[in-house]
Amino acid sequence: MPSPEELIGQELDNAKNTQDSVQTISTYIQIQKKWKEVAARVWKDKFASADVQKKLVLVYIANDVLQHSKRKTGDFIAPFESALEDVVRCFSDFTSSPDVRKRVGRVLSIWKERNVIRVDVIEALQRAADGDESATVASTSASAAAPAPPRRTRARAV
């Protein structure tokens, strides 16, 4: 039987730049809650070795996972935030195309507006996307930089 790493890796390898593919793979990852650290590590490894178009798809998958996680349980925020910190240096080469830079910039601005991940991580990714090859995540206090916990709402009886 294939390991969780292999299964998640196969899903990411088969990802296409379509909304359906991104959402399907994102949902698959989110269902595997007990493997959240594995999913983030495999995502990071795939990102580091992918071509530009595959990296863009992987950013879209991370975006979908993070935003759904933020709205629900928050389980995937820390593992994917850590994975994103590790790939900051890959962003300067990846975003050399103006079209890719624009698309990635849009995702980063959404993360910042919605407080999806820490601001210092977003800013490091943005600096790298803007061509700063030495961009790194500045260390800040975790409480000041941490995203707000997900809001839970209860359904009201009618």
Side-chain angles (χ1 to χ4, degrees):
M1 175 155 221
S3 70
E5 289 92 348
E6 293 170 325
L7 293 171
I8 293 167
Q10 289 170 358
E11 291 294 322
L12 293 174
D13 286 341
N14 294 328
K16 305 286 183 247
N17 194 1
T18 66
Q19 184 175 358
D20 185 51
S21 177
V22 168
Q23 289 176 337
T24 300
I25 294 169
S26 171
T27 300
Y28 176 80
I29 289 171
Q30 292 170 67
I31 289 170
Q32 314 301 324
K33 284 186 183 173
K34 67 181 178 181
W35 303 113
K36 59 187 174 265
E37 287 86 7
V38 171
R41 186 178 65 246
V42 171
W43 179 92
K44 177 185 73 170
D45 293 344
K46 295 293 181 183
F47 187 91
S49 63
D51 63 25
V52 171
Q53 289 306 312
K54 181 61 89 173
K55 283 181 180 178
L56 185 59
V57 173
L58 292 171
V59 167
Y60 291 153
I61 291 168
N63 178 51
D64 203 69
V65 168
L66 286 166
Q67 289 203 55
H68 280 93
S69 183
K70 170 100 172 133
R71 276 180 270 174
K72 295 179 180 177
T73 64
D75 289 345
F76 288 86
I77 301 289
F80 270 85
E81 193 172 71
S82 177
L84 285 162
E85 284 183 55
D86 291 343
V87 299
V88 165
R89 294 241 163 109
C90 299
F91 260 62
S92 67
D93 290 337
F94 159 55
T95 56
S96 59
S97 156
D99 180 54
V100 172
R101 190 175 319 114
K102 179 181 173 185
R103 292 170 190 255
V104 170
R106 176 70 182 130
V107 171
L108 295 175
S109 69
I110 289 169
W111 289 353
K112 196 169 191 176
E113 288 168 18
R114 297 179 184 173
N115 199 27
V116 175
I117 61 172
R118 293 190 340 252
V119 173
D120 61 324
V121 176
I122 297 168
E123 288 174 349
L125 291 168
Q126 187 61 61
R127 284 191 309 276
D130 291 339
D132 181 353
E133 294 178 11
S134 64
T136 59
V137 178
S139 60
T140 60
S141 71
S143 61
R151 293 187 332 190
R152 294 188 181 248
T153 57
R154 288 192 176 146
R156 295 186 148 209
V158 178

